[in-house]
C-alpha cells in the first residue's frame, strides 16, 4: 500500500465534516426526542453511529415526518 | 397566484424544519466527494486485490471518465433511492395526518396543492443534485483536468430521470393517499418494469431507463445528443402526463 494520506486530505476533510454534520444533527435530535415511533433511544444512537450515511437518513425518514 | 406563493413558502419552511433539505444536501455532497475519491483510490484497491489473488496485469490509468462512472453509479444506487425515500412522503404525510382538509374546505384549490408539491420537490432535487454534481465536477477537473464531451447533457439525463421519479411519486400519492409504503413500492415497480422492458433492444432506447445507462457513452462521445433525444422527449412528456393524471386523480379523491 502506497497511499499518501496527505494527497487525500482535500477529499477526506470535507467528507468527514459532512458525515459528522449528519451524525451530530441526528444525535442531538435523538437526545431531545421524547417519544419514538420505532425502536428506542439507545437503538437509534447505535444505528446512527454505526451506519454512517444510511443511519441518519433512516432516522430522519422514519422518526421525523 | 396568492395560494401558490403561500403554499410554496409553507413547503420551504417545512423542508427546512424537518431537516429534509439539509439531509439531501449532505448526502448528495457526500456522493460528490466519494465518487472521485473512489476513482482516485481504484488503482490501489485493485493492486491490493490482485496481489492477494496472485493475478498480474497492467492497470489502465485512471482518467476523469472513471470519476464520472463512479458518480453516476453512486447516483443510481444511493442518490436516487434516497431521493425517493426522503421525498416520497411529501403528500402521504398530509393525508395521514389530515392536515389538508381544513385548508381545502376553506377554498384552497386541489390542483394548486399538487402543483406546488410537484414544483417544490423538483426545485429541491435540482438544488441538491447541482451541489452534488458541481462537487464531483470540481474534484474531477482538479485531479484529472481532461475535457469530456457533453458534460452538461450527461448530468442532465440523471436530473431528468429524477423528475420522472418525482412525477411517479405524485401519481402514487394521489392513488394511495395515506400509504407511504404504497408509494415506495409503486416507484420500485415502475423501475423494475422499465428494467425488464429494456431487455428488448427495440424498446430500450425509448424508455426513461435509457437515460441512466447512456450518460457514460455521452461523455465519451460514443453516442451523440440525437441518440438520446427520443428517450429525453418521452421522459419529459411522460413526467408531465403522469403529473396531470395525478391532478385528475386527486381532484376525484374523497378526503
Amino acid at each position: 500500500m502506497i497511499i499518501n494520506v496527505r494527497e487525500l486530505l482535500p477529499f477526506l476533510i470535507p467528507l468527514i465534516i459532512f458525515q459528522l454534520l449528519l451524525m451530530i444533527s441526528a444525535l442531538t435530535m435523538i437526545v431531545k426526542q421524547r417519544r419514538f415511533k420505532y425502536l428506542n433511544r439507545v437503538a437509534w444512537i447505535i444505528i446512527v453511529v454505526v451506519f454512517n450515511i444510511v443511519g441518519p437518513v433512516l432516522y430522519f425518514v422514519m422518526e421525523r415526518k | 397566484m396568492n395560494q401558490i406563493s403561500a403554499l410554496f413558502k409553507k413547503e420551504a419552511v417545512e423542508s427546512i424544519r424537518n431537516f429534509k433539505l439539509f439531509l439531501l444536501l449532505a448526502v448528495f455532497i457526500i456522493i460528490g466527494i466519494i465518487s472521485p475519491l473512489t476513482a482516485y483510490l481504484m488503482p490501489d484497491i485493485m493492486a491490493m486485490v490482485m496481489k492477494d489473488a496472485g493475478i498480474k496485469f497492467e492497470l489502465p490509468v485512471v482518467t476523469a471518465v472513471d470519476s464520472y462512472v463512479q458518480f453516476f453509479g453512486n447516483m443510481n444506487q444511493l442518490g436516487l433511492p434516497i431521493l425517493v425515500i426522503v421525498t416520497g412522503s411529501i403528500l402521504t404525510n398530509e393525508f395521514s395526518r389530515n392536515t389538508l382538509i381544513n385548508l381545502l374546505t376553506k377554498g384552497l384549490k386541489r390542483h394548486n396543492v399538487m402543483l406546488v408539491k410537484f414544483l417544490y420537490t423538483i426545485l429541491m432535487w435540482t438544488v441538491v443534485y447541482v451541489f452534488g454534481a458541481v462537487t464531483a465536477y470540481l474534484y474531477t477537473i482538479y485531479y484529472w483536468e481532461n475535457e469530456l464531451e457533453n458534460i452538461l447533457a450527461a448530468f442532465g439525463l440523471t436530473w431528468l430521470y429524477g423528475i420522472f421519479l418525482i412525477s411517479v411519486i405524485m401519481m402514487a400519492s394521489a392513488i394511495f393517499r395515506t400509504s407511504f409504503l404504497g408509494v415506495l413500492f409503486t416507484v420500485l415497480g415502475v423501475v423494475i418494469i422499465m428494467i425488464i422492458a429494456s431487455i428488448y433492444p427495440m424498446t430500450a432506447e425509448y424508455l426513461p431507463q435509457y437515460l441512466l445507462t447512456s450518460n457514460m457513452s455521452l461523455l465519451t462521445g460514443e453516442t451523440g445528443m440525437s441518440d438520446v433525444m427520443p428517450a429525453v422527449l418521452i421522459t419529459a412528456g411522460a413526467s408531465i402526463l403522469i403529473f396531470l393524471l395525478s391532478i385528475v386523480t386527486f381532484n376525484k379523491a374523497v378526503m
Side-chain angles (χ1 to χ4, degrees):
Chain A
M1 285 298 276
I2 22 153
I3 297 175
N4 190 349
V5 176
R6 186 167 287 177
E7 248 172 62
L8 294 177
L9 280 185
F11 285 115
L12 293 179
I13 292 172
L15 186 62
I16 292 168
I17 288 175
F18 276 103
Q19 294 203 340
L20 279 181
L21 259 178
L22 267 183
M23 194 195 283
I24 290 168
S25 53
L27 284 178
T28 46
M29 286 180 145
I30 292 172
V31 171
K32 280 185 194 165
Q33 195 170 344
R34 292 264 173 94
R35 283 184 170 188
F36 291 85
K37 265 182 234 154
Y38 312 91
L39 305 175
N40 55 19
R41 185 168 289 143
V42 181
W44 276 120
I45 289 176
I46 292 171
I47 290 173
V48 166
V49 172
V50 173
F51 303 99
N52 55 21
I53 299 177
V54 182
V57 170
L58 269 182
Y59 169 73
F60 281 117
V61 171
M62 291 174 77
E63 294 285 350
R64 304 243 139 205
K65 288 217 169 173
Chain B
M1 216 44 226
N2 218 347
Q3 287 188 350
I4 291 179
S5 63
L7 271 173
F8 225 89
K9 214 178 275 173
K10 174 223 168 237
E11 288 302 325
V13 171
E14 190 176 350
S15 71
I16 293 169
R17 293 252 171 95
N18 67 12
F19 268 68
K20 282 193 172 163
L21 189 61
F22 160 76
L23 177 70
L24 283 176
L25 206 56
V27 168
F28 278 73
I29 291 176
I30 287 175
I31 292 177
I33 300 171
I34 280 183
S35 311
L37 176 66
T38 324
Y40 189 77
L41 288 179
M42 202 42 105
D44 293 318
I45 298 170
M46 290 296 280
M48 248 165 54
V49 173
M50 290 197 314
K51 202 177 168 191
D52 289 345
I55 313 168
K56 264 188 191 157
F57 66 86
E58 271 307 297
L59 284 168
V61 180
V62 176
T63 58
V65 174
D66 297 279
S67 167
Y68 291 118
V69 169
Q70 293 294 334
F71 177 76
F72 290 121
N74 283 332
M75 252 330 155
N76 301 345
Q77 286 155 18
L78 195 68
L80 288 172
I82 286 180
L83 173 79
V84 172
I85 291 171
V86 172
T87 61
S89 58
I90 191 160
L91 264 164
T92 53
N93 256 340
E94 304 263 9
F95 293 132
S96 54
R97 291 185 310 194
N98 291 327
T99 40
L100 275 178
I101 290 182
N102 288 338
L103 300 172
L104 289 175
T105 48
K106 293 282 181 196
L108 178 62
K109 296 275 183 298
R110 288 185 175 203
H111 57 81
N112 280 346
V113 175
M114 290 301 264
L115 185 69
V116 169
K117 295 257 178 198
F118 186 52
L119 288 182
Y120 189 75
T121 316
I122 290 179
L123 182 71
M124 208 155 71
W125 158 238
T126 310
V127 169
V128 297
Y129 183 66
V130 165
F131 267 94
V134 167
T135 314
Y137 177 72
L138 288 180
Y139 273 113
T140 310
I141 53 168
Y142 178 70
Y143 278 92
W144 290 283
E145 63 187 65
N146 31 356
E147 283 298 308
L148 288 166
E149 294 175 51
N150 301 324
I151 191 141
L152 264 179
F155 278 126
L157 293 182
T158 304
W159 175 74
L160 188 62
Y161 189 80
I163 291 182
F164 174 74
L165 287 184
I166 293 170
S167 72
V168 176
I169 291 175
M170 298 315 271
M171 185 70 201
S173 311
I175 296 172
F176 291 106
R177 287 206 287 286
T178 54
S179 164
F180 174 52
L181 275 183
V183 174
L184 283 191
F185 281 117
T186 312
V187 176
L188 196 66
V190 168
V191 172
I192 288 174
I193 289 173
M194 283 196 300
I195 290 174
I196 293 172
S198 56
I199 291 172
Y200 300 101
M202 289 286 283
T203 54
E205 281 180 37
Y206 302 100
L207 290 169
Q209 204 65 28
Y210 188 65
L211 301 182
L212 291 188
T213 49
S214 60
N215 40 22
M216 279 330 294
S217 50
L218 252 186
L219 273 184
T220 51
E222 272 171 51
T223 51
M225 274 309 285
S226 55
D227 297 315
V228 287
M229 231 32 206
V232 168
L233 290 177
I234 285 174
T235 312
S239 309
I240 295 171
L241 192 70
I242 293 173
F243 173 62
L244 291 178
L245 278 176
S246 70
I247 292 185
V248 174
T249 321
F250 183 50
N251 276 339
K252 285 180 184 163
V254 184
M255 290 295 281

